[in-house]
Amino acid sequence: MSYLRRSSPLHAARASIAAAYCAALILAALLTKQPLILGAIGLATALAAAGAGVGRRVARSLYFSGPMVVLVVVVNALVSRNGLTVLARFGDWGPLGQVDPTLEAVCYGVVIGLELGVIVAVCALASATVDPDEVLRSLRRVSFSSALTATLATRMVPLLAADAQRIGEAQRSRVNGASRGAIMRAITTNALDRALDVAATLEVRGYGAARRPPRVVRPVSRHDVAFGCAGGLIAVLACSVSALHLAAFRFYPTVVGRFGVTQLLVAAGFVVLAVLPFLERRGIER
Amino acid sequence: MSVFELEEVTYRYPEATLAALDRVSLSVGEGELVVLAGLSASGKSTLLGIAAGVVPHFHGGTFSGRAEVCGADLREAGPAQLAEHVGTLFQDPETQVLMASVRAELAFPLENRGHDAVAVARGVEEVALALGIEALLERQTATLSGGELQRVALGAALAGRPRLLCLDEPTSQLDPVAGDELLGLLRRLNEEWGTTILLAEHRLERCLAAADRVIALERGRVVCDASPSAFLDWAHDAAPSLETPGARLLASFGLEPPPAGVKAARATLRAHGLLPPPAEPSFAQPPRRRRRRDASQPALRFERVWHELPAGRAILAGVSFELAPGEVLALLGRNGAGKSTLLRHAAGLLTPTRGKVSNSGHIALLLQNPGSYLIHDDVGDELPRAELVSAGLAQLIGRHPRDLSGGERQRLALAIVGGDEASVLCLDEPTRGMDRQAKAELAALLRERAAGGAAVIVATHDPEFAASFATRAILMADGRVIADAPPAEILSGGWYFATETARILGGHGGALTAEQGVAVIRADEAAGALR
């Protein structure tokens, strides 16, 4: 929804490959709880976002998801009954019961928060670099009704954002302020009107009688190959590390994990694999 | 051969008490360019909706009679089926662009029709070249201006090479340059591709010259169906608000036939020895700092105001001017020139990145869509009763704001932003989609506010409207004031930002309206200055 075509290797790759590359990063983040490796995947995502020219957008999404990450850390520390190293005893908190935060619960919360942050960042990267038109087009070939819903939703987001800004400005110009409820009702009614307008446009563009869109044969670019290979290798590395327990990390009852050369190499591997495709800068303009 | 045929068609929208179309019979032949004229709510959009199939298939309601579009009976074919033959362009370009990129937008209707990949790619290239938007193909639709969006939406409507093209006020959001470009394009499509065009438009002076025929509607009924010249003849007696300034000018001298465009008007005046010599070409002088004649506080002052986007361009670049109480300013310029941003700064919705905006008293800002201000289900809930009474809107209490006419909505929104007591009244494109009658009422209201001591600024793309109320005009480009002068100077010397009368008379005597044109010609006649 925030896609903007930039001159970057990731934008130059086809949507399916760019999406697979991002999916591989998410898979890698989900398969490990090793803080060093999670941090490396986060760093890889940040470098990829910078390489794609969308660093600012990804940072903004992290800024907005920050409170959620903090909430995860705090809630886990307050509700978890696991861990042996008690940091403080807060006594009985009614419905929450005995609240005795432990070092292990805090560590686990921090790692889960880090994992969440990395996933949010990768999703923001995907949203800014994967061409939604290509995705919708592929979806239309598979499921028409899902594609219709997705098309409407995709178009409605920027449209409603613009409307909300207009209504907000209009309300700031009022002499007598309006209640929040009345404004919300107006925004909702407006959204319904806009949905009708967009639906009418879909109708007159022949979507109601649409046939399966043709398969587009597109030559495989160097960026398709590079990001396809990088995504595949990231997924293989993540699965191998998980299967071979190379980055095993335990939080309860006490924090046990290794920060050795192997983990360092795995972390470096993720960063290198994620960043390498960005070094090829030929043919990135469109 | 008929492309669009209606026989005794009556249509009523769901829950409406009055019919939007009432026993309408007409036939549009292949290759015709037909202009639909009429006041707001006369049935023009409904007629276009029938041609596109969205009426009644999408909107519902009660339909009787027979309608045939490109050989398909409307009872059997809906909008999706008709899309094979009919291209449609509605008023608001924002809701007519569905995809993220321009290329995907143009490909979308072709893909829906099941064309293979090669045909889709070729169709996209051809329509982009035909409309001159090939440079936009790789752009994201979110980054396009209003005019660019409208061209892309037109491209999507044309991509399938429709036999019939329906356009509902396509120029209402465009500046005069983009509007003229669009109309020129339609003319070329009609002449070179043979596309039949149905065009609903309020600014008739811009499109009658290209039309083969005009169909005028009034309360859902066809009241005139004739050539542009015959239509203007009819409008002179039966519907003066539809008469163009050029036709009014010639009618004042009893000249026939009424002119469909500037060229015809000039030819008729020349033939009767009434065409004054063209004014010497004058180029707008850079704005000079105005020296105030009195020491009173200006109502609004801009001092070297900049609005710079972070890591982006400067929307306003050192704008300076003063506005005295009672002054009525028309703010002109192309889409993206910085007019709306300037008004937002005037109202304090934005803070300058450099420079200073100062004012004396309350500033009321009415943004482009008055509907954004109306958030209740009853007009009576929008404002206290006393304020509605003092604004002369008490009779609207009990009605839903959506049911109001464009003019009523505008007046209500104006009351909501405190327009009655404001020392400065700012209006952003207030005439979008308004018919000439409503514009005349708005112009009268603005003059009345100015007479009461308020300073008024109106950003507009409509030179005829600007000429009807302004005492001063500012022309903006790229965030700068490039001319600041009386309207007669700015609106009579240009090609685009000029009224029809000014174009007919070549800017002679600074005449902007038909009435001023008559006075100038009579004065020249009396002085023996005419050829």
Side-chain angles (χ1 to χ4, degrees):
Chain A
M1 312 275 180
S2 59
Y3 176 79
L4 260 187
R5 179 65 169 88
R6 307 247 175 182
S7 296
S8 91
L10 188 53
H11 285 93
R14 67 187 63 199
S16 54
I17 298 280
Y21 169 82
C22 293
L25 286 171
I26 291 179
L27 177 75
L30 286 173
L31 284 181
T32 186
K33 297 282 180 287
Q34 220 283 359
L36 177 68
I37 295 179
L38 263 181
I41 299 168
L43 175 66
T45 307
L47 291 173
V54 295
R56 207 180 276 253
R57 279 165 183 248
V58 172
R60 199 163 49 214
S61 69
L62 276 177
Y63 175 77
F64 286 114
S65 62
M68 198 168 63
V69 172
V70 172
L71 191 70
V72 167
V73 177
V74 172
V75 167
N76 193 65
L78 292 179
V79 302
S80 177
R81 303 275 182 278
N82 300 314
L84 295 177
T85 319
V86 176
L87 295 174
R89 295 193 185 279
F90 293 129
D92 191 1
W93 278 26
L96 285 179
Q98 198 71 24
V99 175
D100 300 329
T102 64
L103 175 67
E104 291 77 14
V106 171
C107 287
Y108 187 69
V110 167
V111 169
I112 292 293
L114 179 61
E115 191 171 44
L116 190 66
V118 171
I119 291 170
V120 167
V122 179
C123 288
L125 175 69
S127 154
T129 57
V130 178
D131 185 348
D133 290 339
E134 263 190 79
V135 176
L136 285 175
R137 205 172 165 287
S138 314
L139 200 57
R140 287 214 309 275
R141 287 182 59 79
V142 181
S143 166
F144 182 82
S145 50
S146 309
L148 174 64
T149 314
T151 305
L152 268 174
T154 311
R155 185 58 200 141
M156 288 304 291
V157 170
L159 206 55
L160 293 183
D163 282 349
Q165 189 183 347
R166 270 195 284 267
I167 291 176
E169 280 187 339
Q171 296 317 310
R172 283 171 63 197
S173 313
R174 283 180 82 106
V175 174
N176 306 313
S179 73
R180 200 169 278 242
I183 295 172
M184 284 310 293
R185 202 168 54 242
I187 289 173
T188 311
T189 316
N190 177 69
L192 294 174
D193 285 347
R194 289 302 218 175
L196 268 180
D197 290 344
V198 173
T201 304
L202 277 168
E203 281 282 358
V204 299
R205 298 279 185 270
Y207 205 45
R211 291 148 209 167
R212 201 175 141 109
R215 180 183 292 278
V216 176
V217 183
R218 199 172 131 185
V220 178
S221 73
R222 61 178 73 239
H223 304 291
D224 292 337
V225 174
F227 281 98
C229 289
L233 288 174
I234 288 171
V236 167
L237 179 62
C239 291
S240 307
V241 168
S242 176
L244 300 173
H245 302 290
L246 295 177
F249 211 84
R250 205 184 65 196
F251 292 89
Y252 303 116
T254 55
V255 178
V256 178
R258 279 186 295 173
F259 289 89
V261 177
T262 311
Q263 289 72 37
L264 206 61
L265 284 175
V266 169
F270 279 123
V271 176
V272 169
L273 284 175
V275 171
L276 265 182
F278 286 94
L279 300 181
E280 178 57 83
R281 307 287 298 175
R282 279 176 288 183
I284 58 173
E285 287 270 2
R286 199 202 277 172
Chain B
M1 192 187 161
S2 175
V3 176
F4 179 50
E5 197 163 351
L6 300 183
E7 215 178 278
E8 287 293 305
V9 166
T10 297
Y11 172 72
R12 184 173 288 125
Y13 282 99
E15 296 172 33
T17 46
L18 293 173
L21 289 181
D22 187 9
R23 284 172 289 149
V24 171
S25 296
L26 57 90
S27 173
V28 176
E30 187 101 53
E32 277 193 292
L33 197 160
V34 179
V35 170
L36 299 178
L39 300 181
S40 297
S42 58
K44 302 187 297 296
S45 298
T46 308
L47 196 65
L48 292 175
I50 289 179
V54 289
V55 170
H57 290 282
F58 185 79
H59 292 295
T62 320
F63 186 95
S64 67
R66 197 180 69 83
E68 212 176 275
V69 184
C70 299
D73 192 318
L74 202 63
R75 280 170 296 195
E76 286 147 27
Q81 289 74 36
L82 291 180
E84 296 245 349
H85 310 289
V86 183
T88 309
L89 187 65
F90 298 122
Q91 232 182 79
D92 185 357
E94 270 191 356
T95 54
Q96 291 178 85
V97 172
L98 303 161
M99 297 286 145
S101 76
V102 173
R103 187 180 287 280
E105 185 66 36
L106 299 182
F108 184 66
L110 297 169
E111 287 172 349
N112 288 337
R113 292 166 75 167
H115 289 305
D116 62 43
V118 175
V120 170
R122 188 179 156 195
V124 169
E125 291 296 330
E126 281 188 355
V127 79
L129 288 169
L131 300 188
I133 53 171
E134 66 276 13
L136 303 180
L137 275 177
E138 304 308 331
R139 289 266 302 275
Q140 298 299 299
T141 50
T143 65
L144 302 179
S145 69
E148 288 169 336
L149 267 181
Q150 193 72 304
R151 285 178 92 91
V152 171
L154 178 64
L158 285 172
R161 290 268 190 134
R163 286 173 66 195
L164 174 62
L165 184 60
C166 303
L167 304 112
D168 194 356
E169 294 182 42
T171 65
S172 64
Q173 306 207 14
L174 303 182
D175 60 58
V177 183
D180 278 6
E181 279 174 8
L182 186 70
L183 290 170
L185 193 69
L186 294 178
R187 197 171 190 160
R188 195 154 66 82
L189 287 173
N190 176 252
E191 285 171 2
E192 291 177 18
W193 290 15
T195 310
T196 308
I197 294 176
L198 267 180
L199 168 67
E201 184 62 63
H202 281 309
R203 289 187 244 179
L204 295 173
E205 65 276 3
R206 298 174 74 165
C207 56
L208 283 191
D212 296 309
R213 189 175 147 198
V214 184
I215 296 176
L217 292 152
E218 192 183 304
R219 293 197 195 94
R221 307 191 75 163
V222 174
V223 287
C224 176
D225 183 350
S227 69
S229 194
F231 157 77
L232 288 170
D233 215 8
W234 166 84
H236 182 65
D237 299 318
S241 61
L242 297 180
E243 202 180 11
T244 61
R248 264 205 328 272
L249 176 70
L250 265 66
S252 303
F253 293 101
L255 300 179
E256 291 282 341
V262 171
K263 189 176 175 182
R266 291 172 68 86
T268 307
L269 283 175
R270 190 179 293 117
H272 290 83
L274 291 173
L275 187 67
E280 285 298 311
S282 68
F283 297 97
Q285 296 299 309
R288 288 182 295 274
R289 257 203 182 293
R290 292 181 157 220
R291 202 176 286 277
R292 292 183 54 74
R293 284 190 214 102
D294 55 68
S296 67
Q297 175 86 356
L300 180 70
R301 176 186 285 151
F302 272 61
E303 289 172 75
R304 290 180 291 280
V305 171
W306 289 74
H307 184 88
E308 298 144 303
L309 297 178
R313 68 189 188 96
I315 309 280
L316 294 181
V319 171
S320 295
F321 70 91
E322 282 184 6
L323 195 64
E327 210 167 6
V328 189
L329 172 69
L331 205 53
L332 302 155
R334 293 206 62 176
N335 288 105
K339 305 186 295 294
S340 298
T341 306
L342 187 146
L343 292 185
R344 281 168 171 77
H345 276 285
L349 289 183
L350 294 173
T351 311
T353 48
R354 280 165 67 196
K356 192 176 158 199
V357 179
S358 52
N359 61 70
S360 57
H362 171 62
I363 310 256
L365 168 65
L366 191 60
L367 294 165
Q368 281 183 16
N369 184 3
S372 301
Y373 296 89
L374 313 178
I375 55 174
H376 294 96
D377 294 333
D378 185 335
V379 171
D381 294 333
E382 295 286 359
L383 274 177
R385 188 183 170 81
E387 289 181 35
L388 284 169
V389 171
S390 74
L393 298 167
Q395 74 282 6
L396 302 181
I397 293 173
R399 288 174 66 186
H400 195 290
R402 280 163 188 275
D403 297 334
L404 305 182
S405 70
E408 287 169 336
R409 274 186 190 212
Q410 200 120 41
R411 282 167 56 209
L412 179 58
L414 211 50
I416 287 172
V417 296
D420 290 347
E421 297 89 33
S423 61
V424 182
L425 197 55
C426 305
L427 293 93
D428 194 1
E429 283 297 334
T431 59
R432 265 183 8 174
M434 258 192 186
D435 59 47
R436 202 168 295 180
Q437 197 172 308
K439 283 182 200 175
E441 285 168 14
L442 179 62
L445 181 74
L446 297 178
R447 286 193 299 263
E448 186 188 309
R449 292 280 191 276
V456 179
I457 311 183
V458 182
T460 181
H461 286 149
D462 187 344
E464 306 287 345
F465 177 63
S468 70
F469 69 85
T471 55
R472 177 180 164 196
I474 280 183
L475 185 60
M476 291 187 73
D478 293 328
R480 287 175 297 124
V481 173
I482 56 168
D484 181 352
E489 211 173 293
I490 289 184
L491 292 172
S492 67
W495 282 337
Y496 289 107
F497 291 96
T499 63
E500 191 183 38
T501 303
R503 280 182 286 155
I504 290 171
L505 301 182
H508 184 76
L512 299 179
T513 63
E515 294 67 29
Q516 291 168 358
V518 171
V520 165
I521 293 174
R522 291 229 160 101
D524 280 0
E525 207 175 12
L530 297 177
R531 286 171 287 176

